[in-house]
Amino acid sequence: MEERYNANVGSSAPHPRMDFRVIISGGGTGGHIFPAVSIANAIRELQPDAQILFIGAEGKMEMQRVPQAGYEIKGLPIRGFLRPLWKPGNIGVALDYLRSKRMAKQILREFRPQVAVGVGGYASSAALGAANSMGIPTLIQEQNSYAGLANKQLAAKAKKICVAYEGMERFFPAEKIMLTGNPVRQSLLDSKVTREEALKSFGLSPEKKTVLLVGGSLGARTINESVLAHLNEIADSGLQFIWQTGKYYSEEMEQRLKEYNSQHSTLSSQRSTLNSQLSNLKLQAFITDMAAAYRAADLVISRAGASSISEFCLIGKPVILVPSPNVAEDHQTKNALALANRDAALYVKDAEAREKLIPLAIKTVADDAKLRSLSENVKKMALPDSARIIAEEVLKLASDTKGI
């Protein structure tokens, strides 16, 4: 017999009770995990006794990051489909999905949530699919300007769809949509670090302009290779660069810099402007204090993930976006154009980045008027308090539900 929920009549807002139980599912990248944790934190602020359980994908970063944030997480053996879809390996992927959905149903039966929240990622599809089949109210948080296939399919049974961009009616039922923006890491908004303190923490000078290069939590080969292609220009620029390579690329990038320094050390006496040791280029595999990194930067170079863009909007940071071409429905390009078309960011195609990115950054960071314009325009696109607004909607759904 199918398990179904019964809703209370007439309740429209959270009220004091001791048994709020919420499932939050998703992950795969920091861009999904940070919003998920922010929503959980906001739920706890509004309802301190709320019980929150995460569902993620085995082997993905959420299995470490969520417990570090203080929440329990269950893993599913789910993974993404191979491209093209007719590859034989996708038979195993489909079987893992069905197994994951059965496991998700068992987790839901045991935890007995009043509501399930999906933030994107492989696990979200199975967990919310299971919740929908059991009659558990679901809320989708769509971070991108172009909705993914899984969320479009889940939307039919979702009670609420929280989005970050206008015009999402082309993907979802208009009556379910709520424009909330994307939750960001609270530490970025709460940080009191000054520019001088931030630069000092990276061993840099407050007297020079600074460019921050980030390729997301896993790194971005295109951005890294763009740096390597223009080391002479970087050395001669008079600027400072903070370069997050990503953990997968750090050893390779360090070796490439050593080779560069070795090849150019004999030129230092001939070219006084050449910094043969590239002391103005600070390489880090991963930056733990992004609040300090953003504060230190006059200009950021980044992929166009939805969470990163939301952060740039809220802190008003000038940015050059280099969308990853290796994402579903090319949604990062659509994210980037949503800003670039409003003069709120600069946009460089991935295929053109090796040639154009660093020269454009050097030119842009020297143009104070352009930096001010980008900052002012990107701030206009900010949607603050996203996590709290979404948390309120989650608790409304939970308070309207008795449970199974």
Side-chain angles (χ1 to χ4, degrees), residues 1 24 40 42 50 70 107 132 144 169 177 200-201 214 241 248 288 314 327 350 389 397 404:
M1 182 175 180
I24 301 179
I107 293 170
N132 283 331
N144 295 293
E169 295 84 0
I177 293 174
K200 184 178 180 180
S201 71
V214 288
F241 294 79
Y248 293 149
T288 55
L314 285 167
V327 293
D350 186 86
I389 294 169
L397 288 177
I404 54 178

Side-chain angles (χ1 to χ4, degrees), residues 381-392:
M381 299 188 68
L383 292 169
D385 299 322
S386 297
R388 180 186 57 79
I389 294 169
I390 294 170
E392 289 176 346

